[in-house]
Amino acid sequence: MENKYVEMDLNEEINSDKTENRFLEFWKLFRRKKPALYSLYFILLLLVLVVAGQYITPFDHSEPNYSNILSSPSWPHVFGTDEYGRDVLSRVIAGTKIALTVSISAVLIGAIAGTILGLVSGFFGKWIDKAIMRFCDILFAFPDLILAIGIVAILGPGLQNVIIAIAFFSVPSFARIVRSSTLEVKELLFVESAKSMGASKRRIVFKHIFPETIPVIIVYFTMNVGTAILSAASLSFLGLGAELSSPDWGAMLSMGRDYIGTSFHIVFFPGLMIFLTVLAFNILGDGLRDVLDPKTRD
Amino acid sequence: MLQFTIKRLLSLLPLLLVVSFVVFMFIHFIPGDPARLMAGQDASLEEIEDARNALGLNDPILVQYTTYLSSLLQLELGESYRSGIPVIDLISDRIGPSLILTFLSILWALVIGILIGIISAVFRDKLPDRLGMLTAVSGISLPNFWLGLVCIQIFSVQLGWLPTGGVNDGLKSYILPSFALGAGIMAMIARFTRSSLVQTLKQDYIRTGRSKGLSSQSIIYGHALKNSLIPVITVAGLQFGFLLGGSVVVETVFSFPGLGQLLIDSISYRDYPVVQALILFFSVQFILVNLFVDILYSLFNPKIRYD
């Protein structure tokens, strides 16, 4: 009995060493990708803004100041003020929280559902595989944003429904990518040996195959967050997402476009923030792909 | 070739049926009673019942779907709740500007995208490649509605060269919207052309060409480019959906009288027959473009036809 415990402890230690080594190896390679590294720093900075943004914004993002409307960028309003005299910088910072929460939660839901479907489809094959892949084909037949607009048209506008819509159209691409990775891993020797040792199907799928698909999922997840930010901002811009009075980047552009002739800064800064954030996720995704999934490079 | 085209067309039928069924179900997914929606807010119970009969909502779903399908085939898409005008007339009024806009966007995106891709691949890992790929990753990350607004600010408001919106100035009205709409797809085509050409340049027949003493130029333009552009067509087709979605946003920025704006207007007025017809229209357009791309692909790559 005692021996068994010792053995388990040893196994865990070996496993944790393996994970640590893999991470160090990854970090050594990733560190050399300068653009991706700086993008990661930028995203970490954005995450700090998400958590601590409300404590460091110079002004209250929703507080109107009618004596100071549409003023150009100058001290203390570095990004200027909007049509209600609200500080644009504070609103852009507050918008970080909305953009990242909406996009990351939408892609996370899509990734979880897609990964499960992809694993099941790739591992079991046969009619289950066919059924899941046909379901994906149907979703692929609709252009992404049109599908999202359709879903929001049914459910009604609002950020929660935007999350559902984006999650929905993220599912098939995750399913496909995890399926193809599962098909590759399934044929590897260690899966075969797990099978021959009588491991249950669930154990093989989740303990042996799933961990091997994680790198691909991470790469794809990062790239999809960028797309999700763009889609969510587009939906808010069209009046189908966030409330127009909220500090959502897309909604700020939608409200500000009436003033572009005179006060271009109202639309310039939120748009620039969308661009930089999406750019950072895309460059990070490219860097991660080069390191984690080198065969798809070039 | 003809056989392949027919086979491909036939394989499309089940997909079209399923897509039309999903779009048909759209009206049933909307919370609330479609008959009440059609009859209006202050309709009497009798009027609602009439609307229910007119919509055939008392029939079983499959019967309703068959009716829907047969009217689709006769291009009867119902009437707008808002204006009473047949949906098909609303669509045909606005289809022209939208198609021109999409065509111009994909045209410039293909030309410039392929060009940037070639330059990047030829100068792989050198400065032109870095600049080209920086342009590409920026293009993918740009929100098209913001790009549109920035263009309006520069070229319409400050320089006064181009109109801020609408289609009253002929071809000039299309320049900014098609630029804003095509930027993202241009970037994706550039990236894909680069990687496809880089892959091709690693092939054995290219090495043979080099060992025969062919010049770099004749290898790239005479041999590699032709083969690496074939998969680019497929990517362009797949990205067409991105373009259709983008057109809704860009048309809103430029107050463009196209189908995208009609969709957004109809959603805000809860004019569901129009919304339903437009979603079907966009999806069928996407499916047909990809069919066309597949056929084109098989034309260039005979291997596909025999698989």
Side-chain angles (χ1 to χ4, degrees):
Chain A
M1 202 64 190
E2 217 172 61
N3 262 345
K4 201 175 171 191
Y5 280 120
V6 172
E7 204 178 296
M8 271 173 71
D9 277 355
L10 226 111
N11 267 340
E12 261 167 38
E13 228 165 77
I14 292 170
N15 273 341
S16 76
D17 270 4
K18 218 169 89 184
T19 324
E20 211 170 288
N21 279 341
R22 257 176 117 170
F23 179 75
L24 283 177
E25 204 180 302
F26 156 78
W27 183 247
K28 228 168 79 188
L29 289 170
F30 180 77
R31 232 176 22 188
R32 284 190 225 140
K33 309 258 164 209
K34 291 290 176 228
L37 190 68
Y38 294 135
S39 299
L40 178 67
Y41 291 154
F42 181 69
I43 291 166
L44 290 176
L45 179 77
L46 292 178
L47 290 176
V48 171
L49 289 183
V50 169
V51 179
Q54 50 187 340
Y55 306 110
I56 52 175
T57 47
F59 297 89
D60 183 345
H61 68 78
S62 56
E63 182 87 22
N65 177 1
Y66 294 106
S67 59
N68 191 19
I69 57 167
L70 298 174
S71 71
S72 304
S74 60
W75 192 257
H77 297 284
V78 190
F79 286 2
T81 61
D82 69 2
E83 69 275 27
Y84 295 104
R86 296 174 298 197
D87 182 51
V88 175
L89 174 63
S90 306
R91 291 178 72 70
V92 166
I93 292 176
T96 316
K97 192 172 179 173
I98 303 179
L100 291 191
T101 331
V102 169
S103 55
I104 292 178
S105 44
V107 180
L108 194 65
I109 299 170
I112 293 173
T115 303
I116 294 174
L117 287 178
L119 284 171
V120 169
S121 188
F123 183 74
F124 291 101
K126 295 181 193 152
W127 66 269
I128 301 184
D129 181 32
K130 277 198 183 128
I132 293 176
M133 285 303 111
R134 285 301 87 80
F135 167 73
C136 292
D137 285 347
I138 294 167
L139 288 185
F140 274 125
F142 295 93
D144 287 355
L145 199 59
I146 300 288
L147 183 64
I149 290 173
I151 292 173
V152 177
I154 294 172
L155 301 175
L159 285 178
Q160 204 184 331
N161 295 339
V162 167
I163 294 177
I164 297 174
I166 296 175
F168 206 71
F169 77 63
S170 314
V171 172
S173 31
F174 275 102
R176 268 200 188 170
I177 222 143
V178 173
R179 173 184 180 266
S180 70
S181 198
T182 306
L183 286 176
E184 265 173 46
V185 178
K186 194 167 95 169
E187 303 302 326
L188 296 179
L189 209 56
F190 72 92
V191 176
E192 283 296 318
S193 68
K195 257 189 218 166
S196 62
M197 282 166 78
S200 69
K201 281 180 178 161
R202 192 199 288 181
R203 195 183 159 83
I204 294 175
V205 171
F206 289 102
K207 265 275 200 235
H208 298 285
I209 296 182
F210 171 65
E212 297 301 311
T213 60
I214 290 176
V216 183
I217 297 174
I218 293 176
V219 171
Y220 214 67
F221 185 90
T222 317
M223 290 178 167
N224 266 30
V225 171
T227 321
I229 294 173
L230 278 183
S231 308
S234 303
L235 288 170
S236 289
F237 178 77
L238 294 171
L240 300 174
E243 264 181 55
L244 287 177
S245 60
S246 72
D248 176 272
W249 295 338
M252 287 167 81
L253 277 158
S254 178
M255 291 297 278
R257 56 188 276 240
D258 294 336
Y259 303 93
I260 53 169
T262 50
S263 311
F264 187 59
H265 63 271
I266 314 182
V267 298
F268 180 74
F269 290 109
L272 184 70
M273 200 62 182
I274 302 174
F275 170 55
L276 292 177
T277 311
V278 178
L279 187 68
F281 275 101
N282 281 337
I283 295 179
L284 177 65
D286 279 353
L288 288 175
R289 185 201 49 208
D290 290 351
V291 178
L292 294 174
D293 193 17
K295 62 179 186 298
T296 52
R297 210 190 147 201
D298 284 333
Chain B
M1 185 65 214
L2 187 69
Q3 210 183 351
F4 173 82
T5 311
I6 294 171
K7 223 168 91 185
R8 197 60 193 75
L9 267 170
L10 286 178
S11 72
L12 211 66
L13 280 176
L15 185 64
L16 283 173
L17 276 177
V18 177
V19 166
S20 66
F21 184 71
V22 172
V23 176
F24 157 76
M25 287 304 287
F26 174 84
I27 218 105
H28 294 271
F29 288 139
I30 296 164
D33 183 358
R36 181 179 281 276
L37 270 173
M38 189 194 170
Q41 283 291 326
D42 33 47
S44 66
L45 278 176
E46 224 167 73
E47 283 170 316
I48 294 173
E49 200 47 42
D50 284 348
R52 195 184 312 280
N53 285 328
L55 289 171
L57 290 172
N58 291 324
D59 299 335
I61 287 281
L62 270 180
V63 176
Q64 289 184 44
Y65 174 62
T66 328
T67 321
Y68 172 73
L69 209 59
S70 70
S71 46
L72 264 189
L73 292 175
Q74 296 164 47
L75 288 179
E76 280 172 18
L77 303 171
E79 283 168 4
S80 154
Y81 286 172
R82 186 177 152 205
S83 58
I85 299 172
V87 176
I88 189 77
D89 292 349
L90 283 174
I91 292 183
S92 55
D93 278 352
R94 285 165 174 253
I95 194 170
S98 277
L99 286 185
I100 299 175
L101 175 64
T102 352
F103 176 73
L104 289 176
S105 309
I106 197 119
L107 190 71
W108 87 259
L110 270 172
V111 173
I112 305 292
I114 290 176
L115 205 67
I116 292 182
I118 295 173
I119 295 174
S120 286
V122 172
F123 295 96
R124 197 180 163 199
D125 291 333
K126 297 200 181 88
L127 186 69
D129 181 23
R130 299 244 156 83
L131 286 179
M133 285 306 104
L134 184 69
T135 315
V137 75
S138 304
I140 292 171
S141 313
L142 269 174
N144 50 18
F145 45 99
W146 184 62
L147 183 62
L149 290 171
V150 171
C151 287
I152 291 178
Q153 172 71 10
I154 298 172
F155 296 101
S156 312
V157 176
Q158 294 196 333
L159 299 171
W161 291 350
L162 295 165
T164 54
V167 279
N168 299 326
D169 293 81
L171 204 59
K172 256 177 144 183
S173 329
Y174 286 91
I175 296 178
L176 293 184
S178 56
F179 176 69
L181 184 55
I185 203 165
M186 177 279 284
M188 290 187 227
I189 290 171
R191 273 167 78 124
F192 199 77
T193 307
R194 176 189 181 274
S195 63
S196 177
L197 189 53
V198 166
Q199 284 300 327
T200 313
L201 289 174
K202 285 180 191 160
Q203 300 290 318
D204 284 344
Y205 69 90
I206 298 291
R207 205 176 310 145
T208 312
R210 279 194 214 282
S211 61
K212 264 185 4 187
L214 288 179
S215 69
S216 282
Q217 270 191 343
S218 98
I219 283 177
I220 289 168
Y221 300 105
H223 298 269
L225 196 57
K226 243 184 348 199
N227 286 325
S228 40
L229 284 187
I230 299 173
V232 174
I233 314 171
T234 311
V235 168
L238 289 174
Q239 296 307 333
F240 191 76
F242 176 82
L243 201 74
L244 288 174
S247 74
V248 178
V249 183
V250 170
E251 285 186 10
T252 306
V253 173
F254 288 93
S255 314
F256 196 86
L259 296 175
Q261 235 207 346
L262 180 65
L263 176 64
I264 296 305
D265 285 348
S266 308
I267 289 176
S268 56
Y269 285 98
R270 299 167 71 89
D271 196 349
Y272 292 119
V274 185
V275 177
Q276 191 182 25
L278 283 171
I279 290 180
L280 183 70
F281 177 82
F282 281 124
S283 311
V284 170
Q285 197 183 350
F286 184 40
I287 295 173
L288 291 181
V289 165
N290 278 300
L291 168 79
F292 174 72
V293 162
D294 267 6
I295 293 173
L296 210 64
Y297 191 83
S298 76
L299 202 69
F300 291 126
N301 189 355
K303 233 167 46 184
I304 302 289
R305 274 180 259 160
Y306 301 110
D307 273 351

